[in-house]
Amino acid sequence: MIDQSTVARIFDSAEITEVVSDFVTLKKRGVNFLGLCPFHNEKSPSFTVSPAKGIYKCFGCGKGGNSVNFIMEHEHLDYVGALKYLAKKYHIEVVEKELSPEQERQKNDRESMMIVNSFAQKSFTQNLYEHAQGMAIGMGYMRERGFRDDIIKKFQVGYCLEAWDAFSNHALDCGYKKEYLVKTGLSIEKENRLLDRFRGRVIFPIHGIAGRVQAFGGRILKNDAKAAKYLNSPESEVYHKSRILYGIFQAKKSIVQNEKCFLVEGYTDVLSFHQAGIENVVASSGTALTADQIRLIKRFTNNITIIYDGDAAGIKASLRGIDLVLEQEVNVKVLLLPQGEDPDSFSRTMGASELKEYIEKNESDFIVFKTNLLLKDAKDDPVKRANLIIDIVRSIAIIPDGIVRAVYVRECSNILNVDERVLYTEINKIIHRVKEDSWKNEQRSNLPEDQTTDKLSENSAFLRSANECDLEERALIRILLNFGSEILYSQKDEAGNEEQLLVGQYIITELSNDELESVNPLYQLVFDQYGENMEKEAFNTKTFFRDLPNEKVNQLAADILSEPHQLSGLWTRNESVVESEEMKLKEIVPKLVNEYKGKKVRLLMKEVMQEMQKAQDTGNADRMMELMKQKMVLDQIKNAISKELGNRTIS
């Protein structure tokens, strides 16, 4: 456990803009900052960060919260893990008592695997610099390739000893569990024995966007026809190769500065570019490019140049999977290096300025590049040419932006010597078919009628639509969060002492006295927590719910704090426009509470009337008399509330 004072220091230090800026490119817009949401694919930025409120909120996917929530969501950490991450960022010491065996078992598997990966990286790096075999073989290879010490250290390159189980035994001796050594793929269990997956290989740690080691790539140094030249960690809870790019952690700042990202294939390609002075480069690590990888780059820039070596056959194979890049609305260009060259070898032949100049002169738009490349194969063969046109049309059709599509249609029409109208006809057919399929999939994904209550309770949209008092309750919570500690009334008691009634005290007292509860359990949790804590001296209405260790409450707080005009809209319908909520609290708060009570009474009245109809239909006279009494009481309450609201009738 982390003590509360340390938690408070972390929250005080973790400035929301600084935290989010490590992962998202933010641009100042008024008092807030705006960027592309890292949690969903979006065309235009709807992700807002408010330094004043200490929250982030995406108006596209709805995610929001504080700095800790952001790290939990982005890095897939639990609450304690996110606190530790921020503590490390802001150099805050976290002292924890030693975990018991039971607590150790309860630790999150993911975090345990990340810890094992961190240990492995340090062990491999130590081998490279301090072990005789590592220095002779591993460092010898890096020197032979011409890599400088600063580049080797920057990427934490290491070496796994040429022994069947040297690393596994070392890890076990240091107290790391076999379970996590196997789960991370560092070790392979065979006949009750652990074997080192990367033995005899130079190790390239694969860092996540936050700098934590998620996996490893290893290059074999001896000639072995049966062994793969490069070997990666297997898929695991902490490593999904389709969602990560090698070098993204080291490249992200440079990508933002240069507003461009170079995409290469291998680990040494990235290292060579860095050594040449170009740092905005990442690698797909030998895997086919995926939409998730493109979205990862898109957080930092919309401009990508994919660099291929001179192997035309390999490029054609890659083209089949790269069309999906166009769906992400990024500016994709392609550079084909001279025959026999790869990014590693080519970058060594020139300096940074020469390399950049060469790329700028020789890169071309992806669609044009693909058209010209395939056109060479088609030549005068009409069947191949027809297939080429269909291939190009499919690529253009998936581009979301109509203007960009039009530009490519014109260019391809000229290159292929095909009428633009023909291309547009085929493109429209594809777009229509895709939309039709999308609609069908959406219909299938609708919630079935027999959906369980538990699952529905997790769906905030369902809760809001099912709660007929959602507007009023949400407005009450918004008042609590923004103005709960403001003075509503001030008066003197019999002894002449001044008594103050705060806004929050008034609202909670009124709800409690009339035993009013929300059908939305999340709203009710806020009301309950407020009532339990409002008398505490250190209770801060603006930060309490934002920083509460409950992700759903944090999300709700971020949502409501991002609705600056919601309450005024509530009163506009009653011809009582509130120009300044803070100045009109004495008018707003009692009206809102009574409006809420009136709504509750109306709903209760509706239920009573329905029950009365049932009693009449069944001839149950006793039940009818009981319900008549309830209706009379509700009528009295309704009339009293109407007077409070200025004789406005509650329908």
Side-chain angles (χ1 to χ4, degrees):
M1 296 294 292
I2 303 176
D3 67 274
Q4 200 55 44
S5 61
T6 303
V7 173
R9 281 186 63 204
I10 293 170
F11 272 106
D12 290 342
S13 302
E15 202 281 314
I16 187 70
T17 309
E18 290 180 353
V19 173
V20 174
S21 292
D22 285 346
F23 308 94
V24 181
T25 302
L26 298 174
K27 294 183 180 179
K28 192 167 177 60
R29 292 285 177 88
V31 297
N32 295 329
F33 290 82
L34 198 65
L36 288 172
C37 180
F39 305 122
H40 82 290
N41 182 29
E42 61 180 6
K43 301 174 184 178
S44 56
S46 61
F47 183 83
T48 302
V49 176
S50 171
K53 297 175 182 176
I55 61 171
Y56 71 93
K57 169 68 180 175
C58 176
F59 293 94
C61 67
K63 291 187 183 294
N66 56 35
S67 298
V68 176
N69 300 138
F70 181 85
I71 295 300
M72 288 173 66
E73 185 76 31
H74 194 281
E75 294 301 293
H76 305 286
L77 299 175
D78 60 13
Y79 180 69
V80 174
L83 287 174
K84 288 179 180 179
Y85 175 96
L86 291 170
K88 183 178 180 181
K89 175 179 174 64
Y90 289 97
H91 309 291
I92 298 171
E93 185 180 5
V94 176
V95 179
E96 293 184 282
K97 60 185 180 182
E98 188 175 351
L99 297 177
S100 67
E102 179 61 28
Q103 289 173 318
E104 185 68 33
R105 282 192 295 272
Q106 292 174 350
K107 281 188 69 174
N108 183 275
D109 270 10
R110 180 184 174 86
E111 183 62 20
S112 297
M113 291 167 72
M114 296 293 272
I115 291 170
V116 169
N117 278 343
S118 177
F119 165 78
Q121 177 268 307
K122 291 172 184 173
S123 177
F124 294 147
T125 300
Q126 187 177 19
N127 288 342
L128 190 71
Y129 284 94
E130 298 179 13
H131 194 282
Q133 186 185 135
M135 290 187 289
I137 301 175
M139 186 62 81
Y141 168 78
M142 297 303 290
R143 293 277 187 254
E144 183 183 330
R145 298 295 298 264
F147 290 115
R148 300 191 306 261
D149 276 349
D150 61 309
I151 299 298
I152 296 171
K153 289 179 180 178
K154 184 177 186 178
F155 288 87
Q156 298 179 332
V157 179
Y159 178 75
C160 185
L161 300 179
E162 179 62 62
W164 285 103
D165 53 9
F167 167 75
S168 298
N169 288 338
H170 176 51
L172 291 172
D173 289 343
C174 290
Y176 292 92
K177 292 186 175 181
K178 179 177 76 171
E179 174 188 358
Y180 299 118
L181 290 169
V182 173
K183 281 185 175 181
T184 55
L186 286 161
S187 303
I188 301 170
E189 188 171 16
K190 192 172 183 180
E191 297 177 356
N192 294 322
R193 179 186 175 190
L194 290 186
L195 305 178
D196 297 347
R197 178 181 296 272
F198 297 106
R199 60 185 178 277
R201 293 176 183 264
V202 169
I203 304 297
F204 298 91
I206 301 171
H207 300 82
I209 200 168
R212 304 186 78 187
V213 178
Q214 294 185 332
F216 300 91
R219 190 200 191 282
I220 197 167
L221 299 182
K222 64 181 181 180
N223 293 323
D224 187 346
K226 295 181 180 179
K229 183 178 179 181
Y230 279 97
L231 183 66
N232 281 1
S233 296
E235 292 272 320
S236 69
E237 286 294 316
V238 298
Y239 176 57
H240 302 280
K241 62 182 179 182
S242 64
R243 301 179 193 171
I244 192 64
L245 290 162
Y246 179 73
I248 188 67
F249 172 67
Q250 293 85 354
K252 59 185 180 181
K253 288 185 179 178
S254 181
I255 292 172
V256 174
Q257 291 169 355
N258 291 279
E259 294 186 352
K260 191 169 193 174
C261 178
F262 297 116
L263 181 63
V264 294
E265 185 178 359
Y267 307 121
T268 55
D269 295 335
V270 172
L271 270 64
S272 293
F273 264 62
H274 274 259
Q275 186 153 299
I278 298 177
E279 298 185 343
N280 52 322
V281 57
V282 297
S284 56
S285 303
T287 63
L289 196 60
T290 67
D292 285 329
Q293 290 172 332
I294 293 298
R295 284 195 285 268
L296 185 58
I297 296 174
K298 194 179 175 184
R299 295 183 195 176
F300 306 101
T301 182
N302 277 329
N303 303 305
I304 302 174
T305 295
I306 304 173
I307 302 178
Y308 291 108
D309 59 32
D311 179 13
I315 296 170
K316 288 173 187 174
S318 300
L319 290 180
R320 299 188 192 103
I322 292 180
D323 279 356
L324 56 86
V325 174
L326 299 172
E327 295 178 358
Q328 310 306 318
E329 287 193 297
V330 294
N331 304 314
V332 184
K333 293 190 175 183
V334 177
L335 172 68
L336 182 60
L337 294 177
Q339 187 69 35
E341 295 281 6
D342 59 32
D344 181 12
S345 62
F346 193 69
S347 64
R348 297 176 188 277
T349 64
M350 55 187 74
S353 58
E354 291 177 285
L355 186 55
K356 286 180 181 178
E357 185 179 350
Y358 178 88
I359 293 171
E360 288 172 4
K361 285 183 178 179
N362 293 277
E363 62 186 1
S364 63
D365 288 315
F366 174 69
I367 290 289
V368 177
F369 173 82
K370 181 176 180 178
T371 305
N372 287 324
L373 184 69
L374 298 181
L375 197 58
K376 291 178 182 178
D377 276 354
K379 295 180 182 179
D380 297 325
D381 188 324
V383 176
K384 285 186 177 180
R385 193 175 181 83
N387 290 333
L388 160 64
I389 293 171
I390 293 170
D391 197 340
I392 297 301
V393 163
R394 284 174 183 160
S395 293
I396 297 174
I398 63 178
I399 299 173
D401 191 282
I403 296 175
V404 177
R405 276 204 308 269
V407 172
Y408 280 127
V409 166
R410 187 175 297 113
E411 285 195 50
C412 290
S413 172
N414 293 330
I415 296 172
L416 299 169
N417 195 24
V418 177
D419 193 307
E420 286 185 32
R421 288 172 296 182
V422 174
L423 297 178
Y424 273 120
T425 299
E426 294 304 314
I427 287 170
N428 289 333
K429 285 180 183 177
I430 293 171
I431 292 174
H432 176 74
R433 189 161 58 247
V434 169
K435 285 183 177 179
E436 189 176 69
D437 291 343
S438 177
W439 181 84
K440 288 178 180 177
N441 290 333
E442 188 177 335
Q443 293 301 108
R444 291 191 200 101
S445 66
N446 286 339
L447 287 173
E449 292 182 5
D450 61 348
Q451 182 71 288
T452 63
T453 304
D454 287 342
K455 288 185 179 179
L456 288 171
S457 68
E458 295 173 4
N459 188 317
S460 60
F462 169 81
L463 284 170
R464 293 193 65 178
S465 63
N467 180 11
E468 295 187 63
C469 292
D470 183 83
L471 180 63
E472 289 76 14
E473 290 175 355
R474 204 169 177 86
L476 285 171
I477 292 174
R478 184 174 172 277
I479 287 290
L480 288 175
L481 266 57
N482 284 290
F483 310 114
S485 58
E486 299 290 330
I487 298 172
L488 185 64
Y489 297 119
S490 182
Q491 59 186 19
K492 291 185 178 181
D493 60 15
E494 296 178 357
N497 299 318
E498 189 174 29
E499 288 184 338
Q500 295 177 339
L501 179 64
L502 303 183
V503 170
Q505 292 172 333
Y506 172 82
I507 292 174
I508 297 301
T509 301
E510 288 291 315
L511 299 186
S512 299
N513 289 344
D514 290 330
E515 298 182 351
L516 297 176
E517 291 191 354
S518 173
V519 298
N520 187 327
L522 193 56
Y523 289 177
Q524 190 56 45
L525 177 61
V526 172
F527 291 135
D528 291 342
Q529 285 289 318
Y530 202 103
E532 291 176 16
N533 292 277
M534 65 182 182
E535 302 297 336
K536 295 179 181 179
E537 188 175 347
F539 183 57
N540 185 332
T541 58
K542 293 184 182 295
T543 61
F544 179 81
F545 294 100
R546 185 196 72 190
D547 300 341
L548 198 70
N550 183 309
E551 192 173 354
K552 291 185 178 180
V553 172
N554 302 149
Q555 174 77 58
L556 176 64
D559 288 349
I560 290 177
L561 288 171
S562 303
E563 299 172 355
H565 305 299
Q566 189 71 24
L567 188 60
S568 296
L570 177 66
W571 293 108
T572 301
R573 71 182 186 192
N574 299 320
E575 299 180 356
S576 177
V577 180
V578 179
E579 296 175 356
S580 174
E581 294 165 358
E582 194 166 4
M583 293 173 62
K584 297 268 189 173
L585 286 174
K586 289 183 181 179
E587 177 184 350
I588 294 173
V589 176
K591 276 189 175 182
L592 179 56
V593 170
N594 283 307
E595 175 86 4
Y596 178 50
K597 289 181 180 180
K599 188 81 166 281
K600 282 285 192 181
V601 168
R602 181 174 66 80
L603 293 172
L604 287 171
M605 187 75 80
K606 182 179 177 181
E607 291 178 10
V608 169
M609 296 298 289
Q610 290 173 344
E611 288 297 315
M612 287 176 67
Q613 184 63 51
K614 290 180 183 178
Q616 183 177 334
D617 293 343
T618 57
N620 190 336
D622 292 338
R623 177 61 174 160
M624 178 64 78
M625 289 297 296
E626 180 186 340
L627 291 168
M628 287 290 290
K629 290 178 182 178
Q630 289 183 26
K631 183 179 181 301
M632 290 176 61
V633 173
L634 289 173
D635 281 332
Q636 293 173 356
I637 296 172
K638 183 180 73 172
N639 292 334
I641 294 173
S642 295
K643 289 180 181 179
E644 289 288 338
L645 291 172
N647 293 318
R648 181 156 50 83
T649 303
I650 300 175
S651 58

